[in-house]
Amino acid sequence: MATSSTQAVPDTRDIPEHVAIIMDGNGRWATRRLLPRTAGHAKGVQAVRRVVEACGRAGVRYLTLFAFSSENWRRPAEEVSLLMRLFVQALEREIGKLDEQGVRLHVIGDLSAFEPRLQELIMAAQARTAHNDRLHLTVAANYGGRWDILQATRAMLAAEPGLAARPELVDEERLARHLSMAWAPEPDLFIRTGGEQRISNFLIWQMAYAEFYFTDLFWPDFGANELTAAFDWYRTRERRFGRTSAQVSENGTK
């Protein structure tokens, strides 16, 4: 049975191949300016555009954004409704530009909770950009890390019912191929804006070895310069993946 100790050490480089971001602080950005929280979410869409473009220029291959968690349904109904409208508007307005820039869009999460119109737009946007490979932009919507592991377990057992009687055959690789982002490498760098220092049920399986970067900046204020600062910090990290510093030096990787 495969274990984590037998897995190959991932290649590392100065620019992270996969960046995952929790875009936090939209509401507080607006509140501090005596604006409704919804204004902060609208401003946050502009930050998404800046960061997508900056990642494309820098050579990032995978960018995953936590747009709406499964816990966010607990927010005020007006705010949730606005978030859904912004999602629709972003898909309608931005998909053409993303396609031109070579960006492939993926949306992960339990999409069955969304209105049919939004589900249709998501499917159409994914289909339109399916041929692109410059940057894979993944939006996590109605997503939770625990949900992801649970749905992967169910999918694995549905695909291989005999595993229920042979649990010793279940290993990380077998389960991981059913996770929402099984097609992508695991994140190298996790960024959270807004001053909080937790992962909030985001990619909890996939971020086992990610480097965590926290900033007090609210998401609407985050842009190319702030992303560069995060990359500069990332370059200072020694990514050992269970090895010693001496082994890292011998192999010539960070």
Side-chain angles (χ1 to χ4, degrees):
M1 181 173 66
T3 64
S4 58
S5 62
T6 64
Q7 294 173 355
V9 175
D11 292 331
T12 59
R13 55 181 188 157
D14 286 343
I15 297 296
E17 182 179 25
H18 187 171
V19 178
I21 304 178
I22 291 183
M23 308 175 291
D24 198 9
N26 290 334
R28 284 173 288 159
W29 180 92
T31 299
R32 289 192 178 183
R33 288 161 176 77
L34 304 180
L35 298 170
R37 287 175 56 85
T38 52
H41 293 302
K43 195 73 173 179
V45 173
Q46 299 177 21
V48 170
R49 187 182 302 117
R50 294 194 300 268
V51 169
V52 169
E53 293 175 353
C55 282
R57 290 193 299 269
V60 173
R61 289 296 313 285
Y62 301 86
L63 172 62
T64 303
L65 305 177
F66 205 4
F68 190 83
S69 76
S70 50
E71 290 81 15
N72 285 157
W73 293 107
R74 302 168 185 165
R75 294 190 175 189
E78 179 184 358
E79 184 171 342
V80 171
S81 178
L82 183 278
L83 287 169
M84 294 300 105
R85 290 199 302 274
L86 283 175
F87 200 177
V88 169
Q89 291 172 6
L91 287 170
E92 292 176 334
R93 297 175 181 176
E94 303 293 335
I95 196 62
K97 183 179 295 184
L98 291 176
D99 191 23
E100 292 174 0
Q101 294 173 344
V103 177
R104 179 171 181 176
L105 178 68
H106 309 262
V107 182
I108 60 171
D110 183 4
L111 305 185
S112 64
F114 296 142
E115 295 182 355
R117 172 60 177 160
L118 180 52
Q119 293 186 46
E120 291 171 3
L121 285 170
I122 290 171
M123 295 301 108
Q126 291 184 126
R128 178 171 176 175
T129 61
H131 62 285
N132 294 329
D133 191 45
R134 180 186 178 196
L135 172 65
H136 289 256
L137 171 61
T138 302
V139 176
N142 197 26
Y143 174 90
R146 291 178 177 176
W147 166 86
D148 198 2
I149 295 171
L150 186 59
Q151 69 82 25
T153 303
R154 290 170 175 165
M156 178 185 66
L157 292 175
E160 301 182 78
L163 290 177
R166 299 287 306 278
E168 70 276 8
L169 297 180
V170 178
D171 58 17
E172 291 184 15
E173 183 179 356
R174 206 166 208 138
L175 179 62
R177 68 179 64 142
H178 296 283
L179 291 169
S180 295
M181 295 190 67
W183 43 268
E186 295 182 350
D188 302 293
L189 174 63
F190 164 67
I191 299 172
R192 180 165 187 162
T193 61
E196 303 294 350
Q197 298 189 13
R198 54 180 177 268
I199 63 173
S200 297
N201 198 21
F202 181 40
L203 300 177
I204 56 178
W205 175 288
Q206 295 89 337
M207 290 203 297
Y209 286 101
E211 300 295 330
F212 285 20
Y213 179 85
F214 300 104
T215 173
D216 290 333
L217 280 175
F218 295 141
W219 177 247
D221 293 326
F222 198 88
N225 291 338
E226 292 71 31
L227 187 69
T228 297
F231 289 172
D232 289 343
W233 173 88
Y234 175 78
R235 292 188 189 96
T236 70
R237 306 297 300 158
E238 182 181 75
R239 307 193 70 206
R240 295 194 294 271
F241 299 101
R243 301 166 298 170
T244 66
S245 293
Q247 287 174 305
V248 174
S249 298
E250 290 173 3
N251 286 284
T253 58
K254 290 175 61 179

